[in-house]
Amino acid sequence: MPEGSTSRRSIVRTVDAVVVGAGFGGLYMLHRLRDLGLSVQGIEAGEGVGGTWYWNRYPGARCDLPSLAYSYNFSEDLRREWRWSERYSPQSEILRYADHVADRFDLKPLIAFGARVTHAAFDDDAGVWTLETDRGDRIVARWCVMATGCLSIPQKPTLPGEETFKGTIYHTAAWPHEQVELGGLSVGVIGTGSSGIQSIPVIAEAARRVTVFQRTPNFSVPSRNGPLSDAEIAEFRAAYPEYLETLRNSPGLVGAAEGAPIPSEAEQQQAYERLWGAGGPSLIAAFPNLFTSVEVNDGASEFVRRKIAEVVDDPAVAAVLQPHDHPIGTKRICVDSDYYQTYNRPNVELVDLRRTPIEAITPTGLRTTEREYSLDVLVFATGFDAISGALLAIDIRGSGGARLKDAWANGPLAYLGMTVAGFPNLFTITGPGSPSVLSNMIPAIEQHVDWIADCIGYMREKGYRRIAGEPSAQAAWMAHVQAVADSSLFPRANSWYVGANIPGKPRLFTTYIGAGYRAKCDEVAARGYEGFVLA
Ligand code: NAP
């Protein structure tokens, strides 16, 4: 197979590096590795680039961080030529951006689309990885980079009777590519995380009736989305150097909390009002100790609960929508467009599954312990097997045939979130133990890709052929990740951050929320890859 051709048939190739996934991580990784002069092969399960933005096409899907910041920084030309149309861009526009990047840097010819990696095994003698896909591809490569994403394996509960349902079932994370017509239909939505909260208002505008089946309410803040003005773009560009500096020296979500004073009640109210009015997730960044101080967090949580009561007309419905089971922000904050207002519509009903749990799906709808709801369409907005899910979905075998499944039996372990002890020459972009999902993903991806590319470049320059993380360095790093998490309020929530949404998944908080992450990665590299064995 010649370099640079995209195959629809299975391929058998030996290359320097293989990159699994063509989302934002995979695309930039391919670009960097090819620039280093490596032969590369990308493999992507979807029929196009974009990763999570390729699959999550549900109505209302959009960025929950400002698009100006949710963008690549590696190319100044790219930054200048791309113009986002809205503050929080819709999924279709983000997908167009990913597609534009792939075309602009001529990356698509490097990728085999429609191929899902099923096996990856390291050969100790040859020092290479062999990857196999579900359509018979076989790629052999010295370097293997998993750019498989933190939220790419949809989670769907098994409910009794689902096979009898005569209507249509969708999952937000596997939404059809063609237009889904909901006009005149009765739609049920299970799940009120970010995907449910973004989709429910849009579904409610189209459908005849919407029944929302909520088990646990989440905190949501208004996005105040709208067209992005030239003035906003100019403002962002003017402050760009400081923005990059903040990325480089981020204190993490809890890093800045130490010694921070408890803001007065008046200061808190003023800040929350202003940030609620401005819109977006910055409300939970109002004070550095919001994630460490119960007192400060209670203030913010209570503020949002009060707003819910103000927005929702029916006090009984408002009460069901008010979260009380976790400190605000310790489950991913949702950013919405008229979510709470949607419950004032006459065609929307909220069902409290805590009071009346689901009993079964029936041929014509869904039955709770209280009654049956007649439905034409049922939408599962039930989330993902996050962080480790996509890696564990592949049968990965490292040195001596060790299985990743066994290595991670008690929860995922990785050194700096990028390598796993016992799995030489394997890199994980935004893997467990890195800031990943609790930072802005695109800059986090860029930092990992740059580190990995620099590492591979260094290895080649020095004539090394194998890099493996030392178990002791990995254990020390993960203990630090855990200690930082334990100093925060995060472990108090039954969130997907700790794997609580997946039955049987070990409960472990594996996202790094402390200070100095980038400096630590740079220091490790500058010391000749301290904590790694190079051979
Ligand atoms: P999620 O946050 O995990 O929410 C899943 C929802 O489904 C929860 O409300 C959960 O209730 C409910 N659920 C699961 N199983 C259920 C069952 N058997 N019966 C009833 N309810 C059930 O998933 P998500 O909304 O897809 O969001 C996941 C993450 O993806 C977000 O936190 C965010 O990081 C990312 N995301 C980002 C964007 C964006 O950038 N715009 C958009 C969407 C998603 P319980 O809480 O009771 O388990």
Side-chain angles (χ1 to χ4, degrees):
M1 175 63 47
E3 174 80 282
S5 66
T6 307
S7 174
R8 295 284 156 187
R9 283 174 293 130
S10 62
I11 52 177
V12 178
R13 284 192 82 186
T14 297
V15 285
D16 293 321
V18 61
V19 177
V20 184
F24 285 112
L27 290 178
Y28 182 42
M29 193 77 246
L30 287 168
H31 174 63
R32 280 295 319 264
L33 292 177
R34 184 184 53 191
D35 271 9
L36 278 178
L38 273 71
S39 58
V40 287
Q41 177 67 58
I43 309 179
E44 165 57 51
E47 292 294 341
V49 300
T52 196
W53 300 103
Y54 173 88
W55 299 104
N56 285 267
R57 297 167 185 247
Y58 59 84
R62 62 174 69 246
C63 211
D64 64 1
L65 289 176
S67 286
L68 285 170
Y70 191 77
S71 303
Y72 282 123
N73 300 290
F74 73 86
S75 160
E76 181 154 350
D77 289 343
L78 171 65
R79 257 188 328 105
R80 296 210 167 271
E81 71 200 18
W82 184 264
R83 194 196 188 289
W84 295 109
S85 65
E86 297 178 49
R87 281 185 209 121
Y88 298 87
S89 295
Q91 170 272 336
S92 56
E93 192 171 355
I94 305 171
L95 191 58
R96 269 205 308 285
Y97 175 67
D99 211 54
H100 169 74
V101 170
D103 286 335
R104 193 190 187 289
F105 296 98
D106 197 23
L107 300 170
K108 285 183 191 163
L110 305 175
I111 305 163
F113 290 102
R116 188 175 283 278
V117 174
T118 52
H119 296 80
F122 186 69
D123 177 334
D124 279 300
D125 296 330
V128 294
W129 282 91
T130 301
L131 274 66
E132 290 167 11
T133 74
D134 59 355
R135 58 164 212 189
D137 304 287
R138 194 180 160 83
I139 315 292
V140 177
R142 180 160 310 283
W143 313 106
C144 175
V145 183
M146 292 295 179
T148 41
C150 296
L151 296 160
S152 38
I153 302 291
Q155 162 68 5
K156 186 168 165 297
T158 315
L159 299 177
E162 187 180 319
E163 67 291 349
T164 67
F165 186 55
K166 293 210 180 76
T168 316
I169 292 180
Y170 299 110
H171 193 293
T172 45
W175 200 262
H177 288 206
E178 57 281 4
Q179 181 74 21
V180 172
E181 290 304 336
L182 299 173
L185 300 181
S186 175
V187 180
V189 181
I190 300 180
T192 50
S194 298
S195 304
I197 281 176
Q198 284 190 337
S199 59
I200 288 161
V202 184
I203 293 174
E205 278 178 15
R208 179 171 55 81
R209 278 205 66 70
V210 177
T211 312
V212 178
F213 298 96
Q214 173 194 277
R215 190 164 64 183
T216 317
N218 268 302
F219 288 101
S220 189
V221 293
S223 65
R224 314 279 179 216
N225 186 38
L228 188 60
S229 68
D230 290 342
E232 284 167 286
I233 295 172
E235 194 185 330
F236 183 79
R237 286 190 176 156
Y240 192 66
E242 293 95 85
Y243 167 70
L244 287 186
E245 193 46 38
T246 336
L247 291 179
R248 261 193 298 275
N249 293 317
S250 163
L253 277 179
V254 307
E258 211 171 307
I262 301 289
S264 70
E265 178 61 28
E267 279 173 315
Q268 288 189 45
Q269 290 313 308
Q270 205 180 15
Y272 300 143
E273 265 316 334
R274 179 173 56 76
L275 293 165
W276 181 268
S282 47
L283 188 138
I284 55 168
F287 300 103
N289 40 15
L290 196 139
F291 291 101
T292 51
S293 158
V294 174
E295 190 182 339
V296 177
N297 192 292
D298 277 352
S301 301
E302 192 47 39
F303 174 86
V304 174
R305 283 192 287 265
R306 212 176 57 235
K307 285 292 178 195
I308 296 170
E310 279 170 26
V311 173
V312 179
D313 294 342
D314 182 339
V317 174
V320 176
L321 288 167
Q322 289 169 328
H324 287 278
D325 74 319
H326 66 280
I328 190 169
T330 57
K331 280 184 164 187
R332 173 82 174 193
I333 188 83
C334 304
V335 180
D336 70 87
S337 297
D338 292 337
Y339 176 63
Y340 294 118
Q341 289 82 345
T342 296
Y343 292 95
N344 297 335
R345 296 176 65 107
N347 68 332
V348 175
E349 182 178 5
L350 179 66
V351 177
D352 179 3
L353 295 180
R354 294 274 171 207
R355 198 175 60 77
T356 60
I358 295 173
E359 273 187 353
I361 298 181
T362 67
T364 52
L366 187 149
R367 192 177 68 241
T368 67
T369 49
E370 190 172 61
R371 54 165 278 215
E372 179 160 352
Y373 297 85
S374 167
L375 303 171
D376 304 305
V377 170
L378 184 55
V379 175
F380 283 86
T382 46
F384 302 87
D385 184 354
I387 304 177
S388 58
L391 291 163
L392 290 172
I394 302 171
D395 181 7
I396 301 181
R397 292 173 190 242
S399 201
R403 296 184 340 151
L404 187 69
K405 261 192 185 68
D406 296 332
W408 285 6
N410 297 320
L413 304 167
Y415 185 34
L416 299 176
M418 287 188 277
T419 63
V420 185
F423 296 77
N425 295 4
L426 178 85
F427 297 95
T428 52
I429 296 179
T430 61
S434 72
S436 69
V437 291
L438 281 161
S439 65
N440 178 346
M441 281 304 277
I442 296 189
I445 280 167
E446 284 180 304
Q447 185 241 340
H448 273 191
V449 168
D450 287 336
W451 192 95
I452 294 165
D454 290 349
C455 173
I456 293 176
Y458 174 90
M459 300 281 293
R460 282 163 62 91
E461 190 189 307
K462 301 277 180 198
Y464 291 122
R465 293 155 75 83
R466 188 178 302 200
I467 182 166
E470 284 178 27
S472 57
Q474 176 173 285
W477 176 251
M478 290 311 287
H480 176 56
V481 170
Q482 203 56 54
V484 174
D486 288 344
S487 74
S488 79
L489 304 175
F490 278 96
R492 298 186 181 207
N494 288 322
S495 64
W496 59 256
Y497 294 138
V498 297
N501 63 327
I502 305 293
K505 193 167 173 171
R507 190 181 175 109
L508 198 63
F509 188 90
T510 56
T511 305
Y512 184 59
I513 51 174
Y517 176 73
R518 288 183 183 221
K520 167 77 179 170
C521 294
D522 291 347
E523 197 180 289
V524 163
R527 293 189 178 159
Y529 295 91
E530 188 177 54
F532 291 94
V533 179
L534 311 189

